[in-house]
Amino acid sequence: MNDIIKVFDIGTDVTENEIDEKQRGNILNLFNELGKETHLITNCYLNQGGDDYEESPIYYFNECDGKDQFNYKQIAEDLLRAECKTDNTRNSTIREGLLFIKANSSSIIIMKLEKLTVIDKATYEIKSELGKEKDYFKVCTFKGEYSDIKIIDKNKTAAKYWYQKFLKLTRKRTAEDNTNDVIDLIAQDKFYKEDICKKENYKEIKRFTEYYLFDNKKFDKSDLFNELNSSGLIELQKEDDLFSPNSERIDSDFEISEYEINRKYQKKIKTSDEITITTKNYLESIRDSQLIFDEKNKKITIFIDEKYLDEVKEQLENE
């Protein structure tokens, strides 16, 4: 069957917009362009052991036999409900916009566009660069498997309403999964594309990435991309020019697991038969000048944190 294309205006209520063949072609082009953003994806699944999975638009669409007769407006109405507060007024932190749906017998893509200046509102033709900001569109891609649903949503203001409240989905990967994979790919020089790893300043890029992990509670590919550009270490236009295919499995953003960082960057340094130094994070210790190696004089200098000074003093003086 041919793809079914639907457009709804989502404001204080829901209005379906009729489209002609030219508009249809422009909408398909919009789906193609935003579908290229592979490194903005968060991996989700529909938990059929949960209480409300049957209320998910993914579920009731997939379980419907006749996709031609399916009521696509129900999806738009469910989105509007998810964007409203308990008193049924719009949540002011969630922007109005257009909801686009592309469906066939076994798959559905649901996309909301909130920054309407990037398209011609009459024809839906892309009229300007989609830009570096990624928080103006949201996408859900379902290809027939409840265990593999792709989400794009870079809006940090109401981050969970799209996949959680509206679509009733659960994130597939844990903070530990994502943190562990990032660290491993960095260590293997496979986190970034091959041409990035061959750059003269790749060591700086690699170290910058590790420090980004240490200094933040949340990892965000777009944020890291922007920071690397701002630092002057790279000059790239989009995330796909930076991140490798291997890193596509890593969610676009996630909470960083401090446990995984400490597990991976902990190091025991044996300086003699009598002394072994254990660091929770050896790179962070070196960067913060808590651990200084002087090869010429065969010395390691360790700086004592103020809050541990009395304890160290007591232990060493007693000996």
Side-chain angles (χ1 to χ4, degrees), residues 33-34 39 113 186 198 202 262 269 274 291:
E33 283 301 309
L34 295 180
H39 290 286
L113 189 65
I186 291 171
K198 289 179 177 178
Y202 172 64
N262 292 339
I269 305 166
E274 290 79 25
L291 190 71

Side-chain angles (χ1 to χ4, degrees), residues 141-159:
T141 302
F142 171 74
K143 295 185 177 180
E145 296 292 334
Y146 290 136
S147 61
D148 185 20
I149 302 171
K150 308 293 187 187
I151 294 295
I152 296 177
D153 182 6
K154 299 304 294 179
N155 191 311
K156 296 179 174 65
T157 307

Side-chain angles (χ1 to χ4, degrees), residues 112-124:
K112 185 187 175 195
L113 189 65
E114 297 174 337
K115 183 181 175 183
L116 301 184
T117 55
V118 299
I119 63 169
D120 184 306
K121 293 178 188 177
T123 65
Y124 306 113

Side-chain angles (χ1 to χ4, degrees), residues 230-280:
S230 297
S231 71
L233 291 173
I234 62 171
E235 290 182 15
L236 300 173
Q237 294 299 311
K238 56 186 186 296
E239 284 89 339
D240 281 358
D241 295 333
L242 175 65
F243 297 105
S244 72
N246 290 304
S247 64
E248 286 183 13
R249 69 175 182 267
I250 297 165
D251 286 339
S252 170
D253 57 83
F254 57 88
E255 298 294 327
I256 294 170
S257 168
E258 188 177 351
Y259 170 80
E260 286 298 321
I261 288 179
N262 292 339
R263 190 172 71 86
K264 293 285 188 175
Y265 285 97
Q266 186 185 82
K267 185 165 282 194
K268 291 187 177 181
I269 305 166
K270 193 175 180 66
T271 61
S272 70
D273 291 339
E274 290 79 25
I275 298 174
T276 300
I277 300 168
T278 301
T279 65
K280 186 170 76 171

Side-chain angles (χ1 to χ4, degrees), residues 164-184:
Q164 205 171 67
K165 188 177 178 184
F166 167 47
L167 295 165
K168 317 295 185 193
L169 301 178
T170 303
R171 290 182 71 133
K172 198 171 179 179
R173 293 170 59 83
T174 65
E176 288 74 23
D177 293 336
N178 283 310
T179 306
N180 189 51
D181 281 352
V182 169
I183 294 169
D184 284 350

Side-chain angles (χ1 to χ4, degrees), residues 82-85 89-96 112 114 135 138 153 155-161 165:
E83 295 185 345
C84 288
K85 299 181 289 187
T89 60
R90 280 196 68 84
N91 185 331
S92 60
T93 64
I94 300 174
R95 291 173 288 191
E96 299 181 3
K112 185 187 175 195
E114 297 174 337
D135 65 346
K138 309 176 193 301
D153 182 6
N155 191 311
K156 296 179 174 65
T157 307
K160 292 184 179 179
Y161 97 87
K165 188 177 178 184

Side-chain angles (χ1 to χ4, degrees), residues 117-119 125-131:
T117 55
V118 299
I119 63 169
E125 183 178 8
I126 298 172
K127 67 176 184 180
S128 66
E129 286 292 323
L130 294 177

